[in-house]
Amino acid sequence: MRNLWIGLTYLIFFLLIAAPLGKMTMSAFSQGFGGFWDALARPEALHALMMTGFVVIVVTVFNTLFGIMLALYLVRANWIHPRLKGLLNSIVDLPYAVSPVIGGLMIVLLLGPDSALGALFENMGIKIVYAFPGMAIATLFVTFPLMVREVMPVLQEIGSQQEEAASTLGAYGWTTFWKVTWPSIRWAVIYGVILTVARSLGEFGAVLVVSGNIMNKTQTATTLVYQDVENFNVTAAGGVALVLAAFSVGLLLLMEWTKRRKEVH
Amino acid sequence: MHVEVRGLNKHFGDFHAVKDVNFSITKGHLIGLLGPSGGGKTSILRMLAGLETPDAGEIIFHGRAVNNLPPQERGIGFVFQNYALFKHMTVFENIAFGLKVKKASKTAIRDRVMELVELTGLKGFEKRYPHQLSGGQRQRVAFARALAPEPQLLLLDEPFAAIDAKIRQELRSWLKELIERVGITSIFVTHDQDEAIEVADEIMIINQGRLEQKGTPWDIYKEPKTPFVATFIGESTLIENAAELKGFTGIGGGKPTKALIRPEYIEIGSLHEFKMASATEQGIVKHLHFRGSEWLVEVEVKGHKLVTYRSLEKDTLQPGQDISVLVHRAYLFNDDHSWIQENGLKEDPMPVFI
């Protein structure tokens, strides 16, 4: 009986994770290495991977910066009323609860060409929706809670006394942050960065709505895979997907390593 | 540094944590802020440090108001209850922090840190991290770190609370000696009266946000100014109606007056041991507790339970035994005022000279 359960568990694991991964790899190489290479060397594939790369970089930089800042304010700032803090704190989790597609839609409604704000930016010559800024904003929306939620518990745990001690020793905010706070939160920040990178690499729904999926312009790796599948170009889809999956596995390994470091500290 | 505080007030939401506190501290003195937990002691200390902003009142260091100065510029050292050592820095780096921030030269930092390491008996531990130290060592590091930038005022928040009883005793005398040697004005917060009495030059009793009394430990013990101080310092028994006691009849001008009686105000023994037998009450020994160096005796007098100590050299008493009790004095208080009253019958009203 017990063996049966163990067997079943392995079977499910195989069917859900190992088999699809294997099948995807096989289809990527179904026309040999050349086929895989051709799929990636298509101009639209290179452009899509580049777009994904840009989105990841921009989103990670912004999310890290503002995530750390918001976490600091939510935990440390005495000048924010506790009620307002509670409200902000729950709003941070909104992207977890809302489907990314809806998140994308909200951005289109707010900043789309038909909206007042969108028109304003358009007049200034900045296109937001159906262009790179919109895609970055949409991905930022989806990834926003990741950094805040990693850093906040660590800040709460270390408490403010070390920072207060630094201030009585003559250190001002900036010195205190780099010398006292940062060494305590850095592993949490690195973990948050990895989560953000992973999430923005794989983001599909929000980006699809906001980007309009225009080939060689606003198409990202995930939306290209979607389009390739729609066009029954399974080999090409497999190739791009394999590249994304390889990145994800790498991030996963990195994540395990950081998690261990984080616990040590 | 001469410290003066005028009309200090602090609210936390609806809670009035510090109520109109005034005091001044002479340069070089070691002051104990003593009182029950949640009484506002730590809030006062944090306001002195600039970590908390007073709602009203002035804090004056050296004749200069520092209310608007941030903690960085007040020239204070602060030792936190849990030390708040920088856990990713070694002992050396912890102590050097304040000097590095002030951009002291490398050799100056090195000399000062080594001097403090020597002074606090941490030699050989410079390379250790806080988590590799014992509680007592951590406290010394916190102390050295606070002293490194040569502050004018040292503030210590429950400095011994997190240390076990035996080492606490050692650290107390060590700290007192060290502060005397350094000659720095210091204020420490404690809820332990033994600690305050043993360490402080002067004690300030804080209760419910108010400064109840300020004075030397001896003065506070001898002449408590408020009923709270009388009950908080030393041991005592409360008697609801003091007039019931022999020698205290007619006190307070007929107003209901309560009495606090300390164990050392009471003498017990057989009748012939007393010079003025008429001043004694009859009591019954209720319980005896052995306290290592003496007996703690509970006697019942007119339904009141009184507590006193008795030397081991005297005859051992038995529970249930009849005994004479003399109440030498009592701390009396009613709604109007409070005072110390000697037993009125102790002095022979009609001395007979033979």
Side-chain angles (χ1 to χ4, degrees):
Chain A
M1 191 62 199
R2 194 160 149 254
N3 286 338
L4 186 74
W5 280 113
I6 292 174
L8 198 66
T9 311
Y10 276 115
L11 185 72
I12 293 212
F13 173 77
F14 178 78
L15 283 178
L16 279 181
I17 296 169
L21 202 65
K23 184 70 195 153
M24 191 183 75
T25 314
M26 268 161 63
S27 80
F29 290 106
S30 61
Q31 289 159 28
F33 188 75
F36 171 68
W37 188 249
D38 288 343
L40 286 184
R42 288 177 298 163
E44 64 264 34
L46 287 178
H47 190 270
L49 285 170
M50 189 187 73
M51 278 312 266
T52 297
F54 282 153
V55 168
V56 166
I57 290 168
V58 169
V59 165
T60 307
V61 167
F62 274 87
N63 196 25
T64 306
L65 218 61
F66 290 103
I68 293 173
M69 263 160 58
L70 187 66
L72 275 172
Y73 288 140
L74 283 179
V75 177
R76 293 281 190 266
N78 294 322
W79 41 267
I80 302 178
H81 193 274
R83 279 236 191 93
L84 181 64
K85 248 189 219 177
L87 187 72
L88 282 174
N89 200 6
S90 31
I91 289 180
V92 169
D93 284 334
L94 191 74
Y96 278 151
V98 173
S99 153
V101 176
I102 297 172
L105 181 69
M106 291 197 275
I107 289 162
V108 171
L109 290 178
L110 184 70
L111 295 167
D114 301 331
S115 71
L117 265 178
L120 184 75
F121 280 112
E122 200 116 345
N123 284 340
M124 286 157 66
I126 307 166
K127 214 162 161 330
I128 292 182
V129 169
Y130 309 124
F132 183 77
M135 292 156 66
I137 292 171
T139 314
L140 204 55
F141 173 83
V142 174
T143 54
F144 193 65
L146 297 171
M147 182 61 72
V148 180
R149 285 288 168 257
E150 278 305 314
V151 176
M152 266 181 77
V154 181
L155 282 175
Q156 268 154 352
E157 195 198 308
I158 59 173
S160 55
Q161 282 209 335
Q162 288 186 52
E163 288 156 25
E164 285 175 353
S167 75
T168 63
L169 290 166
Y172 282 91
W174 198 239
T175 318
T176 303
F177 177 78
W178 283 114
K179 293 267 169 70
V180 177
T181 315
W182 174 251
S184 300
I185 62 168
R186 68 182 158 199
W187 288 105
V189 170
I190 292 170
Y191 195 70
V193 165
I194 294 171
L195 286 178
T196 308
V197 171
R199 189 76 179 80
S200 36
L201 259 186
E203 181 45 38
F204 173 75
V207 169
L208 184 69
V209 175
V210 172
S211 70
N213 201 11
I214 309 162
M215 197 178 274
N216 282 332
K217 270 186 121 171
T218 62
Q219 197 164 45
T220 63
T222 46
T223 52
L224 175 65
V225 171
Y226 166 71
Q227 197 177 2
D228 282 341
V229 172
E230 289 281 281
N231 297 341
F232 302 106
N233 192 354
V234 181
T235 312
V240 178
L242 191 65
V243 171
L244 284 177
F247 267 107
S248 302
V249 170
L251 285 171
L252 214 68
L253 293 176
L254 199 61
M255 213 147 82
E256 279 307 305
W257 178 72
T258 359
K259 213 162 31 180
R260 233 171 296 139
R261 285 305 304 255
K262 205 169 70 161
E263 277 154 15
V264 171
H265 256 263
Chain B
M1 163 149 68
H2 181 81
V3 178
E4 201 172 335
V5 166
R6 284 192 210 133
L8 200 64
N9 273 286
K10 179 72 185 172
H11 295 259
F12 292 108
D14 293 335
F15 180 60
H16 199 168
V18 176
K19 297 172 190 160
D20 209 25
V21 167
N22 297 287
F23 59 83
S24 77
I25 293 167
T26 325
K27 189 170 186 282
H29 271 212
L30 174 54
I31 308 292
L33 282 181
L34 175 64
S37 305
K41 312 177 295 281
T42 300
S43 300
I44 295 175
L45 204 70
R46 288 175 63 86
M47 282 191 275
L48 288 174
L51 295 171
E52 217 80 69
T53 322
D55 294 338
E58 273 195 310
I59 297 168
I60 299 154
F61 290 172
H62 273 319
R64 176 167 164 237
V66 295
N67 285 41
N68 295 322
L69 280 188
Q72 287 89 341
E73 286 169 30
R74 292 200 180 186
I76 46 122
F78 202 106
V79 177
F80 289 84
Q81 184 169 353
N82 297 311
Y83 317 134
L85 297 179
F86 306 131
K87 59 180 182 172
H88 54 275
M89 293 186 202
T90 61
V91 168
F92 186 96
E93 289 166 332
N94 262 286
I95 301 174
F97 186 86
L99 300 166
K100 254 189 212 153
V101 166
K102 294 211 163 66
K103 305 231 169 8
S105 75
K106 271 237 163 84
T107 48
I109 292 177
R110 191 154 188 90
D111 291 348
R112 178 77 178 140
V113 173
M114 290 326 279
E115 182 193 336
L116 281 162
V117 162
E118 198 90 39
L119 190 71
T120 49
L122 286 164
K123 207 160 175 30
F125 293 94
E126 302 96 316
K127 297 238 161 59
R128 297 238 190 143
Y129 284 90
H131 66 93
Q132 298 168 315
L133 300 174
S134 72
Q137 288 166 338
R138 278 181 215 175
Q139 212 245 2
R140 287 161 193 246
V141 176
F143 193 72
R145 182 180 70 177
L147 283 181
E150 298 183 40
Q152 306 254 25
L153 174 68
L154 185 64
L155 304 167
L156 307 107
D157 188 7
E158 299 267 5
F160 309 107
I163 294 171
D164 48 277
K166 187 130 189 164
I167 301 170
R168 199 184 305 172
Q169 198 66 35
E170 275 172 39
L171 269 176
R172 269 187 210 162
S173 22
W174 174 82
L175 187 71
K176 186 173 170 67
E177 207 179 288
L178 194 56
I179 287 177
E180 268 167 20
R181 192 152 19 127
V182 179
I184 181 174
T185 314
S186 308
I187 303 174
F188 72 99
V189 158
T190 180
H191 60 264
D192 179 344
Q193 54 158 309
D194 293 339
E195 197 169 291
I197 288 170
E198 196 184 313
V199 179
D201 296 327
E202 260 189 301
I203 294 177
M204 289 198 269
I205 309 261
I206 311 282
N207 179 42
Q208 296 184 343
R210 283 206 172 76
L211 175 60
E212 298 263 343
Q213 191 172 354
K214 175 173 179 287
T216 64
W218 174 237
D219 282 342
I220 285 180
Y221 192 84
K222 208 173 51 182
E223 279 169 42
K225 290 260 160 53
T226 66
F228 173 80
V229 176
T231 46
F232 193 73
I233 292 281
E235 294 168 84
S236 54
T237 319
L238 179 73
I239 306 287
E240 285 295 328
N241 185 2
E244 285 176 17
L245 294 170
K246 235 187 206 175
F248 296 93
T249 42
I251 42 133
K255 274 197 194 141
T257 302
K258 294 178 186 180
L260 280 169
I261 302 173
R262 293 237 161 102
E264 62 270 27
Y265 293 173
I266 299 170
E267 196 180 337
I268 52 173
S270 42
L271 199 56
H272 63 80
E273 290 178 51
F274 293 97
K275 227 168 46 191
M276 286 299 305
S278 59
T280 61
E281 300 255 18
Q282 278 308 299
I284 299 164
V285 177
K286 277 285 173 198
H287 292 285
L288 288 163
H289 306 274
F290 182 55
R291 280 292 156 91
S293 53
E294 57 200 346
W295 288 104
L296 178 88
V297 186
E298 286 177 26
V299 281
E300 196 180 286
V301 176
K302 290 181 183 161
H304 302 297
K305 197 189 80 183
L306 297 175
V307 175
T308 186
Y309 289 104
R310 186 173 165 91
S311 163
L312 297 177
E313 298 298 322
K314 294 193 174 167
D315 302 336
T316 308
L317 302 174
Q318 297 298 327
Q321 187 181 343
D322 285 329
I323 198 149
S324 295
V325 180
L326 172 62
V327 179
H328 282 284
R329 71 188 67 80
Y331 176 80
L332 301 174
F333 62 97
N334 54 28
D335 297 340
D336 300 334
H337 53 293
S338 56
W339 69 100
I340 296 205
Q341 176 86 42
E342 292 290 325
N343 187 321
L345 296 174
K346 238 171 60 174
E347 296 306 317
D348 198 335
M350 289 183 291
V352 180
F353 297 102
I354 304 170

